[in-house]
Amino acid sequence: MNGWILAALVVLAAGVGATVWGVATGPLRRRAAAQNLSTALACPAVLLLAQGYARPAYVDLALVLAVLGPVGTLVFARLLADELADDPPQAPGPTLTAAALGAVVVLAVGAATGPGRALVKLLVVGALLVGGNLVASRALAGGMQEGRRG
């Protein structure tokens, strides 16, 4: 076991374990925020595993997670808009922490990868991961409600 795999296990055990608990229990606002954070934490873990096992194909899985995770959250935000309007989820601390973790992991794996096409793919994954997480969190918090009311 190397440091990359150990870091992935820490992210999976601490972060994803906590979000799975949040999805399984509690009120709707906590479950919706935890669902968004689960993909924001699983994607960096997959990137760390890709580096740890020297399998660049795993980066494609991270790319799929970075694209579909926020899209799933936006679908939930749209479908549950009425229920979430009364008590919108507010999780700025965990959201910013997950975004910072994603950025740090992308930069660390990118530095280990070196220049080339793989680095460009990592940067795209990082931009989608961080940007998608922030947009989806804003949608959950009710920041996109004014577009629907017009």
Side-chain angles (χ1 to χ4, degrees):
M1 177 181 298
N2 59 30
W4 298 105
I5 297 172
L6 182 63
L9 289 176
V10 167
V11 169
L12 285 173
V16 177
T19 58
V20 167
W21 176 77
V23 168
T25 63
L28 178 63
R29 64 182 289 203
R30 184 171 70 197
R31 289 182 294 176
Q35 183 272 334
N36 182 43
L37 290 174
S38 66
T39 55
L41 293 172
C43 187
V46 170
L47 288 174
L48 290 167
L49 289 173
Q51 187 65 31
Y53 287 122
R55 302 281 185 173
Y58 291 177
V59 176
D60 294 339
L61 177 60
L63 178 62
V64 170
L65 277 173
V67 170
L68 294 181
V71 170
T73 301
L74 291 173
V75 168
F76 281 126
R78 175 76 172 157
L79 292 175
L80 301 172
D82 295 334
E83 290 88 355
L84 291 173
D86 298 332
D87 192 18
Q90 300 291 330
T95 298
L96 293 176
T97 302
L101 174 71
V104 167
V105 167
V106 166
L107 291 176
V109 173
T113 301
R117 289 177 43 186
L119 178 63
V120 173
K121 187 189 284 188
L122 279 172
L123 293 176
V124 168
V125 169
L128 288 170
L129 175 64
V130 172
N133 182 27
L134 295 176
V135 167
S137 293
R138 182 169 183 256
L140 281 176
M144 302 200 176
Q145 295 292 328
E146 57 271 3
R148 287 185 45 220
R149 292 182 189 154

